[in-house]
Amino acid sequence: MAQHINRAPATSQGPSSNFSGNVLVTMLVAQNPETDCIVSSVTFEAKARTFWHTHPNGQLLVVTKGTGYYLEKGKPIQIIREGDSVTIPPQVTHWHGAGPSGQFTHIAINPNVSRGGAVNWLQAVTDEEYNEAP
């Protein structure tokens, strides 16, 4: 296993094909054969969110700032706060993002990316779906 130091990771705007609103994505750990995972820090401005999506190998979210929403298709919306973590099983359709009044940041860990990739993007979360949150 080769050591690799990732210096000054790049931050980019989350693409409008996967996110609604202003979202910044910082790639902390790119896909590599040593760890076989992708780790990103994702910052959502108020009301910004992902599209509906699934993960072939699941995902772990660790909330590092603010208050956000997490919703699995067919279940009640969950409010997630700084210090919370969410374990998302493989192939579960869901979305996550900021609440209506402030910035929200989480670390996203996508494991085993060599076995099916990291994410399968679906359709946008409508304002109606977003506004169902408490």
Side-chain angles (χ1 to χ4, degrees):
M1 187 185 297
Q3 176 183 348
H4 178 78
I5 298 173
N6 186 26
R7 300 196 190 277
T11 298
S12 60
Q13 183 71 38
S16 61
S17 57
N18 302 336
F19 298 95
S20 297
N22 188 27
V23 179
L24 297 176
V25 179
T26 303
M27 179 65 65
L28 301 175
V29 178
Q31 183 175 356
N32 65 78
E34 286 80 18
T35 62
D36 199 24
C37 69
I38 295 173
V39 181
S40 303
S41 177
V42 185
T43 298
F44 301 82
E45 293 299 326
K47 297 185 181 180
R49 55 203 180 259
T50 67
F51 279 27
W52 288 101
H53 61 284
T54 64
H55 300 281
N57 302 294
Q59 184 182 54
L60 177 64
L61 302 178
V62 180
V63 180
T64 58
K65 180 181 177 184
T67 299
Y69 295 155
Y70 171 79
L71 179 66
E72 290 183 7
K73 196 112 178 142
K75 294 190 177 178
I77 199 159
Q78 301 294 312
I79 296 175
I80 52 178
R81 295 176 175 85
E82 187 173 329
D84 290 348
S85 64
V86 181
T87 301
I88 304 162
Q91 304 302 342
V92 170
T93 302
H94 68 284
W95 67 267
H96 36 95
S101 60
Q103 198 177 68
F104 169 69
T105 303
H106 66 54
I107 303 292
I109 303 166
N110 295 291
N112 304 312
V113 292
S114 67
R115 296 183 276 177
V119 62
N120 296 314
W121 292 105
L122 304 169
Q123 71 277 8
V125 173
T126 66
D127 288 342
E128 181 178 272
E129 289 170 319
Y130 178 84
N131 290 326
E132 290 177 6

